């Protein structure tokens, strides 16, 4: 007689006449008395996958009114309208960006507490209201406050929520998903200056901000309502069963070297790509470019930024993310070291391609890297700190290059010295030990 050991006591069955054996004989339990099993949610289909990825990408693209690319076409009209100097508006932008960065760690905590979808709805409404309020600015103080709100809500909070909801809910090919989301967002941001410039030319700054406000409200709010709920541990939250719940808390993550490698890479690309873009006409002008040629170089940067984001993102599920960081930092250091040799023509195109690859490569890997190393449990909080530091760097870059130009009369010296930063991060990315999400310590 053999009693099937894996069945509950009330369902054990006796087998009479069975040969002696220690091998378990699988027999079905009595269906009339078997407890109802817990139903596991089936993996989402392709339509759901693309819906989340594309929806989050569109929301990411709508951060453009708070991004440098979306605000830059308004600089000269604001100088004229408000009767301020270029130094004053640059200082307002610096202060506003730094002030906006302070709020992002708190936004990250909110994402982990209430979920990215809920926070996205709130941030979308706040961002729209801030754009509408900015249209009534009449002096430099009001503009500084507007910059703080737009940078915090647009480039910071809304971008953070869009990436977080993909990182937390899409677990099949998550690296590719994050790469596509970033690529869609980058495409929208890259095209924004053309639309903004046309709006300003046809109307004025105030009308442009009001139109952007309506666009954000009309698009972000419906998309956020359609995206899946992702609040960790809350009743009714739609979280795929395969999503891991393990992960690092913030303080242990801050004590790992890889966190600072990733954050350093975000800081580096934010600082240096913003500086090179902000001063691009002047930088390339010193290398013999006409104004039109210098402006056209943005097109080459955009092309490789999108391609690099997609390519590196598609590899994020197959390789250690550190190699994506190494690629990005190598491109960034190479671009800065190559600058003295850049001239109009083929070398100018190569410069634009390298610069675009540096920023796009990191965008394609950084979110996936945080998920791989630190899990999804506190991804909003952890990336909130990193994003805050990255946003602050975009305020510092233009100032550093401006000071270097004022001291030497050239951008070359500043570029060559700055190349030490990405090179140092490249070395650190190779040698620093990577954390493991499944063995995370918890505060």
């Amino acid at each position: 007689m053999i009693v099937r050991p894996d069945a509950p006591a009330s369902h054990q069955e006796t087998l009479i006449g069975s040969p002696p054996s220690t091998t378990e004989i699988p027999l079905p339990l009595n269906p009339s008395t078997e407890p109802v099993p817990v139903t596991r949610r089936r993996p989402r289909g392709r339509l759901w996958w693309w819906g989340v990825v594309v929806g989050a990408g569109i929301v990411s693209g709508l951060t453009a009114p708070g991004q440098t690319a979306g605000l830059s076409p308004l600089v000269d009209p604001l100088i004229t309208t408000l009767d301020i100097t270029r130094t004053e508006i640059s200082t307002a932008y610096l202060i506003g960006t730094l002030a906006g960065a302070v709020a992002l760690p708190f936004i990250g905590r909110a994402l982990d507490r209430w979920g990215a979808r809920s926070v996205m709805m709130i941030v979308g409404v706040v961002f729209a209201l801030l754009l509408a309020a900015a249209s009534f600015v009449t002096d430099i103080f009001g503009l500084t406050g507007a910059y703080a709100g737009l940078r915090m809500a647009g480039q910071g909070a809304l971008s953070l929520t869009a990436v977080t909801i993909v990182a937390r809910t899409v677990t099949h090919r998550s690296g590719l998903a994050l790469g596509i989301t970033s690529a869609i967002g980058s495409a929208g941001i890259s095209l924004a200056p053309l639309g903004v410039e046309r709006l300003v030319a046809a109307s004025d700054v105030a009308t442009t901000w009001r139109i952007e406000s309506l666009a954000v409200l009309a698009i972000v709010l419906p998309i956020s309502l359609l995206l899946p709920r992702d609040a960790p541990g809350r009743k009714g939250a739609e979280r795929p069963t395969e999503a891991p719940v393990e992960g690092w808390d913030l303080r242990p993550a801050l004590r790992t070297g890889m966190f600072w490698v990733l954050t350093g890479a975000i800081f580096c690309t934010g600082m240096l790509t913003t500086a090179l873009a902000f001063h691009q006409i002047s930088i390339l002008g010193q290398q013999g470019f006409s104004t039109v040629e210098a402006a056209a170089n943005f097109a080459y940067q955009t092309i490789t930024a999108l391609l690099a984001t997609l390519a590196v993102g598609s590899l994020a599920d197959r390789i250690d993310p550190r190699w994506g960081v190494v690629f990005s930092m190598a491109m960034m250091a190479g671009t800065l070291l190559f600058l003295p040799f850049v001239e109009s023509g083929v070398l100018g195109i190569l410069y634009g391609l390298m610069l675009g690859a540096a920023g796009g490569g990191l965008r394609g890997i950084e979110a996936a890297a945080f998920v791989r190393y630190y899990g999804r449990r506190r991804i909003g909080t952890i990336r909130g700190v990193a994003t805050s530091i990255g946003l602050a760097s975009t305020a510092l870059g233009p100032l550093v290059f401006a000071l270097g130009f004022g001291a030497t009369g050239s951008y070359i010296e500043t570029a060559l010295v700055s190349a030490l930063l990405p090179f140092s991060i490249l070395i650190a990315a190779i040698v620093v030990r990577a954390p493991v999400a499944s063995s995370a310590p918890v505060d």
Side-chain angles (χ1 to χ4, degrees):
M1 179 179 70
I2 296 178
V3 177
R4 179 176 158 178
D6 61 328
S10 60
H11 299 289
Q12 289 180 352
E13 300 182 12
T14 301
L15 308 181
I16 302 174
S18 300
S21 173
T22 58
T23 304
E24 293 180 20
I25 302 177
L27 291 176
L29 299 179
N30 187 338
S32 62
T33 59
E34 182 178 1
V36 178
V38 177
T39 302
R40 292 178 61 86
R41 191 188 305 273
R42 291 184 177 182
R44 312 289 187 171
R46 290 185 178 180
L47 183 60
W48 182 90
W49 193 94
W50 279 106
V52 175
V53 170
V54 173
I58 293 173
V59 171
S60 182
L62 284 166
T63 66
Q67 302 273 1
T68 301
L71 291 169
S72 59
L74 305 178
V75 171
D76 288 339
L78 283 169
I79 290 175
T80 302
T81 303
L82 302 181
D83 192 23
I84 55 179
T85 67
R86 189 169 295 275
T87 300
E88 288 174 330
I89 197 171
S90 298
T91 303
Y93 188 77
L94 171 68
I95 295 172
T97 300
L98 293 176
V102 172
L104 290 185
F106 302 99
I107 300 294
R109 292 180 182 178
L111 291 172
D112 289 332
R113 182 173 182 180
W114 292 299
R117 190 182 78 159
S118 299
V119 174
M120 182 183 291
M121 287 188 283
I122 296 171
V123 171
V125 172
V126 170
F127 189 30
L129 292 176
L130 288 169
L131 284 165
S135 66
F136 296 99
V137 164
T138 58
D139 56 32
I140 189 64
F141 300 104
L143 182 62
T144 303
Y147 276 153
L150 297 180
R151 298 289 279 164
M152 180 274 292
Q155 177 166 355
L158 195 58
S159 178
L160 183 61
T161 60
V163 173
T164 298
I165 199 166
V166 175
R168 186 173 286 144
T169 61
V170 179
T171 57
H172 174 65
R173 303 293 302 277
S174 59
L176 177 61
L178 289 165
I180 294 174
T181 297
S182 298
I184 294 172
S186 298
I189 294 168
S190 299
L191 294 174
L194 299 175
V196 172
E197 192 277 330
R198 290 293 86 200
L199 282 174
V200 174
S203 55
D204 53 32
V205 174
T207 302
T208 299
W209 266 330
R210 289 165 191 166
I211 293 174
E212 289 178 335
S213 172
L214 293 174
V216 168
L217 192 63
I219 300 175
V220 172
L221 194 57
I223 288 178
S224 63
L225 290 171
L226 294 172
L227 289 173
R229 296 177 64 184
D230 67 305
R234 296 189 64 179
K235 184 178 180 180
E238 295 183 31
R239 186 178 63 206
T241 55
E242 64 268 28
V245 295
E246 71 271 359
W248 292 63
D249 280 344
L250 176 61
R251 281 183 289 181
L254 293 177
R255 292 193 288 268
T256 64
M258 187 56 72
F259 173 86
W260 294 107
V261 168
L262 296 175
T263 303
I266 294 171
F267 180 94
C268 176
T269 54
M271 173 182 173
L272 296 176
T273 57
T274 301
L276 294 173
F278 195 86
H279 298 291
Q280 178 157 302
I281 304 301
S282 178
I283 290 173
L284 296 184
Q286 284 200 328
Q287 299 300 116
F289 287 64
S290 68
T291 300
V292 174
E293 289 173 330
N297 198 266
F298 281 114
Y300 306 121
Q301 297 170 28
T302 300
I303 291 171
T304 48
L306 294 176
L307 293 176
T309 299
L310 289 171
V312 176
S314 66
L315 293 174
D317 301 305
R318 300 181 175 89
I319 64 171
D320 189 327
R322 71 172 74 231
W323 300 115
V325 175
V326 169
F327 169 79
S328 173
M329 294 300 98
M331 288 293 99
M332 191 75 255
T335 300
L336 295 168
L337 295 174
F338 183 56
L339 184 58
F341 308 100
V342 173
E343 59 185 31
S344 179
V346 175
L347 295 181
I349 295 173
L350 181 60
Y351 165 85
L353 297 177
M354 292 174 64
L355 181 56
L362 189 69
R363 280 193 295 273
I365 200 69
E366 62 91 3
F370 277 109
V371 172
R372 174 82 69 86
Y373 295 141
Y374 300 104
R376 292 176 170 84
R377 184 168 174 268
R378 292 287 182 266
I379 187 63
T381 302
I382 294 172
R383 285 197 72 247
V385 174
T387 304
S388 174
I389 295 172
L391 179 58
S393 75
T394 65
L396 299 176
L399 179 61
V400 169
F401 270 63
L403 292 175
F405 178 76
T408 64
S410 171
Y411 296 100
I412 299 300
E413 291 81 0
T414 305
L416 295 178
V417 173
S418 297
L420 293 173
L421 179 59
F423 183 75
S424 299
I425 297 171
L426 183 155
I427 298 300
I430 295 174
V431 302
V432 168
R433 182 179 178 181
V436 180
S438 60
S439 60
V442 180
D443 286 346

